[in-house]
């Protein structure tokens, strides 16, 4: 399935995550030859699709293709090469397994900008900036310094040769609709536009009241809840606030005559933190 959007198409129609093309007229915001192709794992695709929607609402000149690994696997080698050749910028996110060897075997333009994030380590050789083709382990493993805009700037000052790659990685580590939009815009602008990072906590709480949602810290939530009344907890992954999934949270809570809280957490330690807090 393939969807094409233009300025006369509603941005709120259902979107297939297995193939997504945004193709619109270029304007002065981005260079006329700039476009972005994203190759992303099926699981991570919703975050980038949501960011692409937001970017199109703000800048209808954006030209973005998002292809999941599932769709990539359906392409033959010639079709894959054509997809790569048509891309001014190429972003690979969460790519592992069978596609890795196929991507490594393709030909790439020397003028194409390429970023590889959270993928098979071998794919880092495809980063277009030579210095980012072999990134030191202390930089690769440092997520703490990507948790705030100030920390990111300090890290970039220490490693100026990785400024754009670190910016892209920070957007993805703090994955959200807003940061995905910023990531795509950075690629479209050839790194000239870097919207400030919007940090995303590893553990987040949202209290639903009627048709309103209040994002609160754990302590703020404890003060808001009525201990004498039952509470319904909706536990979800940290991408649970993306448009389609978040509507399920809202609809479910609106149907209840009870206090309703969404708890979003990344995999790993934040999930354990989530259950420890709920047991208190």
């Amino acid at each position: 399935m393939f969807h094409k959007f233009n300025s006369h198409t509603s941005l709120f129609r259902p979107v297939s995550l297995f193939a997504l093309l945004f193709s619109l007229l270029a304007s002065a915001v981005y260079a006329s030859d700039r476009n972005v192709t994203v190759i992303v794992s099926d699981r991570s695709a919703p975050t980038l699709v949501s960011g692409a929607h937001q970017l199109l609402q703000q800048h209808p000149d954006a030209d973005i293709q998002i292809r999941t690994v599932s769709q990539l696997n359906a392409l033959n080698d010639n079709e894959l090469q054509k997809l790569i050749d048509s891309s001014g910028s190429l972003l690979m996110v969460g790519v592992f397994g069978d596609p890795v060897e196929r991507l490594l075997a393709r030909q790439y333009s020397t003028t194409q900008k390429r970023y590889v994030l959270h993928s098979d380590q071998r794919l880092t050789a495809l980063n277009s900036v030579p210095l980012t083709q072999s990134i030191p382990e202390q930089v690769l493993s440092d997520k703490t310094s990507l948790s705030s805009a100030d920390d990111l700037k300090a890290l970039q000052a220490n490693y100026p040769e990785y400024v754009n790659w670190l910016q892209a990685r920070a957007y993805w580590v703090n994955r959200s609709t807003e940061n995905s939009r910023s990531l795509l815009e950075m690629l479209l602008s050839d790194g000239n536009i870097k919207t400030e990072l919007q940090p995303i906590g590893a553990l987040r709480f949202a209290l639903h009241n009627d048709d309103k949602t209040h994002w609160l810290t754990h302590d703020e939530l404890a003060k808001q809840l009525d201990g004498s009344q039952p509470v319904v907890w909706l536990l979800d992954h940290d991408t649970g606030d993306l448009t389609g999934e978040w509507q399920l949270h809202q609809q479910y809570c609106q149907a209840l005559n009870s206090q309703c809280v969404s708890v979003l957490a990344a995999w790993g330690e934040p999930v354990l933190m989530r259950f420890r807090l709920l047991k208190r």
Side-chain angles (χ1 to χ4, degrees):
M1 188 177 292
F2 186 77
H3 292 273
K4 183 174 181 178
F5 291 78
N6 55 40
S7 57
H8 301 293
T9 304
S10 171
L11 294 176
F12 300 98
R13 61 185 293 184
V15 177
S16 167
L17 296 182
F18 291 95
L20 181 62
L21 167 67
F22 298 96
S23 182
L24 300 166
L25 295 176
S27 72
V29 176
Y30 307 118
S32 60
D33 61 341
R34 301 311 301 172
N35 55 56
V36 171
T37 295
V38 180
I39 298 173
V40 60
S41 67
D42 293 42
R43 177 178 167 185
S44 296
T47 307
L48 285 161
V49 170
S50 181
H53 272 297
Q54 187 179 102
L55 182 60
L56 275 173
Q57 290 176 308
Q58 298 167 345
H59 299 292
D61 56 322
D63 187 347
I64 306 168
Q65 295 185 82
I66 298 179
R67 302 295 178 91
T68 65
V69 167
S70 292
Q71 187 187 12
L72 191 70
N73 290 336
L75 300 178
N76 62 40
D77 287 346
N78 287 336
E79 291 169 334
L80 177 55
Q81 188 64 59
K82 288 179 180 178
L83 176 68
I84 291 170
D85 291 344
S86 68
S87 309
S89 294
L90 184 62
L91 172 65
M92 301 179 195
V93 182
V95 180
F96 297 91
D98 293 339
V100 174
E101 293 292 346
R102 296 184 66 203
L103 289 167
L104 289 172
R106 304 278 70 79
Q107 299 295 315
Y108 297 88
S109 168
T110 56
T111 62
Q112 185 183 64
K113 304 297 182 182
R114 292 182 300 279
Y115 292 82
V116 178
L117 303 173
H118 291 239
S119 298
D120 189 300
Q121 187 65 26
R122 291 172 293 170
L123 290 174
T124 59
L126 298 181
N127 280 321
S128 56
V129 177
L131 286 172
T132 61
Q133 293 173 4
S134 180
I135 301 171
E137 180 60 31
Q138 67 266 25
V139 178
L140 280 174
S141 60
D142 186 357
K143 282 190 177 182
T144 304
S145 298
L146 304 177
S147 60
S148 74
D150 289 340
D151 288 341
L152 171 61
K153 290 175 183 176
L155 187 64
Q156 289 171 320
N158 290 334
Y159 297 99
E161 64 272 34
Y162 305 128
V163 166
N164 282 354
W165 185 86
L166 287 169
Q167 188 78 33
R169 184 165 187 256
Y171 286 141
W172 188 246
V173 167
N174 293 274
R175 64 196 66 169
S176 66
T177 296
E178 180 64 28
N179 285 327
S180 293
R181 183 208 67 81
S182 297
L183 172 58
L184 294 170
E185 184 172 51
M186 188 187 98
L187 297 178
L188 281 167
S189 68
D190 201 11
N192 292 316
I193 300 177
K194 298 186 185 72
T195 303
E196 183 165 320
L197 177 71
Q198 301 298 314
I200 299 296
L203 187 64
R204 293 180 287 156
F205 299 90
L207 175 63
H208 301 270
N209 284 330
D210 298 324
D211 60 344
K212 296 181 180 180
T213 299
H214 305 279
W215 290 96
L216 305 170
T217 65
H218 178 258
D219 291 340
E220 291 170 338
L221 177 64
K223 294 177 182 178
Q224 291 285 331
L225 293 177
D226 183 347
S228 65
Q229 299 296 321
V231 180
V232 175
W233 302 89
L234 303 182
L235 311 183
D236 204 348
H237 190 251
D238 58 355
T239 58
D241 59 340
L242 297 181
T243 303
E245 297 180 40
W246 193 240
Q247 288 175 347
L248 295 177
H249 282 250
Q250 294 173 316
Q251 291 169 4
Y252 188 83
C253 287
Q254 288 173 5
L256 297 173
N257 185 24
S258 178
Q259 300 176 101
C260 190
V261 179
S262 294
V263 185
L264 307 185
W267 292 113
E269 181 61 24
V271 175
L272 298 178
M273 289 173 55
R274 173 169 63 185
F275 287 107
R276 292 188 194 113
L277 289 171
L278 294 182
K279 288 173 66 177
R280 293 180 183 177

